[in-house]
Structure formats: structure tokens, C-alpha cells
């Protein structure tokens, strides 16, 4: 009923895995270049998002006949921010560091607030969520006031993720 299927060696996964591991090591070795690269990617993403928002505004206008001035404002803001980040990558690095810290803070506040929903099911879990949320909130505030530490954290996370993906692909090859 069940046939044994022998999987062959996957060269593509091996090569991709090795490239990911090399990229992770290079990212660790050159954090400044990694952040500049991420800033450039963010700048491109902002410009593409702005263009998409302008297209979406046109769609809303045609489909719903609604006022879309706020969409135009956000789209133009995104495009301007993307151009600024591309022209001045150091600003982009600083911007990403601050944005990361703010994201960390907001996520921590959401964790603390969300803990109340777990009180009824498992009080111990809710308590741990609050404790970890407070610790994360403190770390987020530290990152907010230390953009260099925030930048290092971003590079570390990107480097580790690249290496984890690489190792997963290498294992998948066999």
C-alpha cells in the first residue's frame, strides 16, 4: 500500500543553504554594510508602497467614489521618505533603528495588554506574559534611546535568521 520513496540529493537546497550561511557570516562581520543595505531595501520598499498606495487610491476612486486625499498624503509621504532614505542611507539606518525600537515597545505593550485575556484560562501564563512584556518594554525603551544598540540588535537578528535559514536548507538537501 505504501511505497517507499527515496528522495535524491537536493543540490539547489545545499547551494542556497551555503549562500545563506555565508550571507549571515558576512552580515555579522560587516554590520555597517548590512544596515546600509537594509536601509536601501527599506527606501525601495517605501517608494514601492507609495506607488501602490497611489494605484490603490485610483482603485478606491473608481470603485467606491470615495474621498482619497489621505491616501494621496500617505503615498507622497512614503515616496518622499523612500527617496530620503536612498539619498541619505545614514538617515535610513537611524530611522530603521528608531522604528525597530518603537515596534519593540508597541509589541511589548500589546503583550502586556493581551495578558488579561489569558487570566481566565491560565493565570500563571498571564503573569509570565506581563513579566516578559515589562522586560521587553524596558528593552524597547533602552533601544529607543540607544540607536547604536538597536542597530546592532537588528544586524544580529538578520545574521542569525540568515544562518538559521541556511542550516535548514543544508539539512533539507540531504
Amino acid at each position: 500500500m505504501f511505497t517507499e520513496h527515496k528522495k535524491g540529493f537536493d543540490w539547489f537546497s545545499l547551494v542556497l543553504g551555503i549562500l545563506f550561511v555565508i550571507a549571515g557570516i558576512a552580515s555579522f562581520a560587516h554590520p555597517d554594510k548590512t544596515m546600509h543595505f537594509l536601509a536601501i531595501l527599506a527606501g525601495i520598499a517605501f517608494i514601492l508602497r507609495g506607488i501602490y498606495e497611489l494605484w490603490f487610491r485610483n482603485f478606491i476612486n473608481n470603485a467606491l467614489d470615495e474621498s482619497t486625499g489621505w491616501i494621496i498624503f500617505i503615498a507622497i509621504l512614503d515616496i518622499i521618505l523612500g527617496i530620503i532614505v536612498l539619498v541619505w542611507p545614514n538617515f535610513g539606518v537611524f530611522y530603521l533603528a528608531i522604528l525597530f525600537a518603537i515596534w519593540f515597545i508597541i509589541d511589548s505593550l500589546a503583550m502586556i495588554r493581551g495578558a488579561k485575556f489569558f487570566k481566565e484560562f491560565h493565570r500563571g501564563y498571564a503573569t509570565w506574559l506581563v513579566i516578559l512584556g515589562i522586560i521587553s518594554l524596558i528593552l524597547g525603551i533602552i533601544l529607543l534611546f540607544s540607536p547604536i544598540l538597536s542597530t546592532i540588535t537588528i544586524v544580529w537578528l538578520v545574521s542569525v535568521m540568515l544562518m538559521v535559514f541556511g542550516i535548514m536548507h543544508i539539512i533539507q538537501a540531504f
Side-chain angles (χ1 to χ4, degrees):
M1 186 164 232
F2 292 103
T3 60
E4 189 176 313
H5 178 71
K6 186 172 178 166
K7 179 186 158 223
F9 187 77
D10 186 357
W11 282 101
F12 181 74
S13 287
L14 179 67
V15 171
L16 192 60
I18 291 169
L19 289 174
F20 271 126
V21 169
I22 291 169
I25 292 168
S27 178
F28 267 128
H30 305 285
D32 55 333
K33 291 180 182 166
T34 300
M35 278 309 294
H36 277 99
F37 178 71
L38 291 175
I40 289 168
L41 287 179
I44 293 169
F46 279 119
I47 291 170
L48 292 176
R49 180 178 168 177
I51 293 168
Y52 169 78
E53 288 164 340
L54 289 174
W55 171 85
F56 184 69
R57 175 225 165 252
N58 195 30
F59 172 77
I60 294 291
N61 249 1
N62 293 336
L64 303 175
D65 197 32
E66 290 286 323
S67 172
T68 55
W70 60 275
I71 296 176
I72 293 172
F73 174 75
I74 296 296
I76 291 171
L77 193 64
D78 279 343
I79 291 170
I80 290 170
L81 185 60
I83 291 169
I84 290 170
V85 168
L86 288 177
V87 172
W88 293 293
N90 287 336
F91 169 79
V93 169
F94 179 74
Y95 177 77
L96 287 177
I98 299 300
L99 190 64
F100 178 74
I102 291 170
W103 171 48
F104 213 88
I105 291 168
I106 290 171
D107 197 48
S108 301
L109 292 172
M111 184 188 309
I112 292 167
R113 179 141 169 88
K116 73 178 183 179
F117 298 112
F118 291 97
K119 268 187 183 174
E120 295 178 31
F121 304 113
H122 196 284
R123 191 163 184 74
Y125 183 70
T127 302
W128 274 109
L129 278 179
V130 170
I131 291 168
L132 292 173
I134 291 170
I135 292 169
S136 295
L137 180 62
I138 292 167
L139 289 172
I141 292 169
I142 290 169
L143 291 175
L144 184 62
F145 290 102
S146 178
I148 292 173
L149 182 59
S150 183
T151 301
I152 292 168
T153 303
I154 293 169
V155 170
W156 185 81
L157 287 171
V158 167
S159 301
V160 168
M161 288 302 294
L162 286 169
M163 292 197 316
V164 166
F165 286 148
I167 292 168
M168 287 172 43
H169 278 286
I170 291 170
I171 292 171
Q172 181 181 337
F174 293 96

